[in-house]
């Protein structure tokens, strides 16, 4: 076999492998469209990752009745339509709309890759064909909650919203229009935050770090 033939065969094998392992599903839409069908919606912090799974310490339950303190969440494996667990680093906090694993397929466990699995019965997995997860950071929630382009999980042009507003929306106390308004870009607020950050950096360089009382005095 010539070198050219070997190279062509190698490329064909790569293409076949890529096709076989590709996820194929219909886009289910923003968080609003997907969470009603989830088995469990929680706020949780990632404590550990191993293989294609992560452990989530439950901080609050927004939908469902599973009261375990820690959940095992299974992510991407072969052609399963799930996100890579690398997207959820330990220490990060998320709102997740989860699906419970009720039965396992015949190829659910690979003895040659024991850390990579379909999951275990009674654990959960995170689908990826919609906005099934939202990041929680600094008391705010980010992600396409009520609208967004197809296959877009996060719109960088949208502002994060206060977690308290998100919870009001989940409880039906806040309409979609109000939530969308809260996610609109707020250039004046961002400009003020940038100016404050620059001022504090300059103050730190000149006078050393500020204590809490000094920061409160500046805020007043």
């Amino acid at each position: 076999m010539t070198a050219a033939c070997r190279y062509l065969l190698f490329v064909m094998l790569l293409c076949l492998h890529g096709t076989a392992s590709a996820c194929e599903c219909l886009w289910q839409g923003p968080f609003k469209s997907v969470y009603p069908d989830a088995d469990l919606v929680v706020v949780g912090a990632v404590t550990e990752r191993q293989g294609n799974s992560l452990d989530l310490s439950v901080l609050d339950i927004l939908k469902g009745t599973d009261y375990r303190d820690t959940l095992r969440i299974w992510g991407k494996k072969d052609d399963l339509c799930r996100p890579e667990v690398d997207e959820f680093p330990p220490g990060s906090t998320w709102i997740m709309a989860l699906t419970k694993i009720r039965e396992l397929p015949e190829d659910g466990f690979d003895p040659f890759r024991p850390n990579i699995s379909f999951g275990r019965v009674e654990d959960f997995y995170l689908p990826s064909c919609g906005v099934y997860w939202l990041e929680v950071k600094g008391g705010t929630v980010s992600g396409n909650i009520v609208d967004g382009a197809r296959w877009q999980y996060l719109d960088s042009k949208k502002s994060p919203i206060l977690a308290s507003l998100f919870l009001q929306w989940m409880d039906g106390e806040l309409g979609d229009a109000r939530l969308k308004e809260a996610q609109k870009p707020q250039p004046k607020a961002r400009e003020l935050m940038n100016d404050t950050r620059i001022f504090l950096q300059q103050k730190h360089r000149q006078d050393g770090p500020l204590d809490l009382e000094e920061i409160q005095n500046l805020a007043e």
Side-chain angles (χ1 to χ4, degrees):
M1 185 181 292
T2 65
C5 289
R6 287 198 299 271
Y7 176 76
L8 181 60
L9 179 60
F10 176 71
V11 171
M12 290 175 64
L13 288 173
L14 283 178
C15 292
L16 288 173
H17 175 74
T19 302
S21 62
C23 160
E24 294 184 6
C25 65
L26 297 176
W27 179 245
Q28 302 300 310
F31 184 81
K32 175 189 175 182
S33 300
V34 301
Y35 89 83
D37 294 327
D39 293 314
L40 188 67
V41 181
V42 298
V43 184
V46 179
T47 58
E48 188 176 356
R49 292 187 314 209
Q50 183 175 6
N52 67 320
S53 70
L54 60 86
D55 287 341
L56 194 74
S57 176
V58 177
L59 305 175
D60 195 7
I61 298 175
L62 306 182
K63 177 183 180 293
T65 56
D66 193 305
Y67 298 109
R68 282 175 281 182
D69 293 333
T70 301
L71 302 175
R72 176 65 55 87
I73 314 297
W74 296 87
K76 183 72 174 177
K77 174 186 179 293
D78 300 329
D79 62 347
L80 295 178
C81 293
R82 305 175 185 176
E84 298 283 355
V85 294
D86 290 347
E87 297 185 30
F88 309 97
S92 60
T93 303
W94 304 84
I95 296 168
M96 292 186 176
L98 302 167
T99 301
K100 179 173 282 191
I101 299 174
R102 293 183 168 85
E103 59 182 2
L104 299 181
E106 293 183 359
D107 61 347
F109 178 74
D110 183 351
F112 298 103
R113 294 189 301 168
N115 289 336
I116 306 297
S117 170
F118 182 90
R120 305 176 303 191
V121 173
E122 295 300 312
D123 283 348
F124 292 87
Y125 73 84
L126 189 62
S128 64
C129 298
V131 184
Y132 287 86
W133 62 89
L134 303 166
E135 186 173 15
V136 181
K137 190 174 183 179
T140 64
V141 179
S142 301
N144 287 343
I145 302 172
V146 297
D147 62 355
R150 291 171 61 84
W151 298 105
Q152 184 186 58
Y153 300 91
L154 175 67
D155 186 347
S156 60
K157 295 180 181 179
K158 292 179 181 177
S159 297
I161 63 167
L162 293 174
S164 57
L165 289 180
F166 176 83
L167 294 176
Q168 290 178 32
W169 174 78
M170 282 286 292
D171 291 337
E173 300 173 3
L174 188 74
D176 291 354
R178 290 283 305 279
L179 190 111
K180 289 173 66 175
E181 185 69 24
Q183 283 197 302
K184 286 184 177 179
Q186 301 175 14
K188 289 185 178 179
R190 291 189 179 185
E191 182 179 351
L192 178 61
M193 289 177 63
N194 288 333
D195 290 345
T196 302
R197 187 180 298 109
I198 292 171
F199 171 78
L200 291 174
Q201 289 173 347
Q202 292 174 342
K203 191 75 173 173
H204 180 275
R205 285 195 294 267
Q206 294 172 1
D207 306 328
L210 301 177
D211 59 29
L212 180 59
E213 183 178 354
E214 289 176 312
I215 294 174
Q216 289 174 338
N217 291 335
L218 286 170
E220 294 173 357

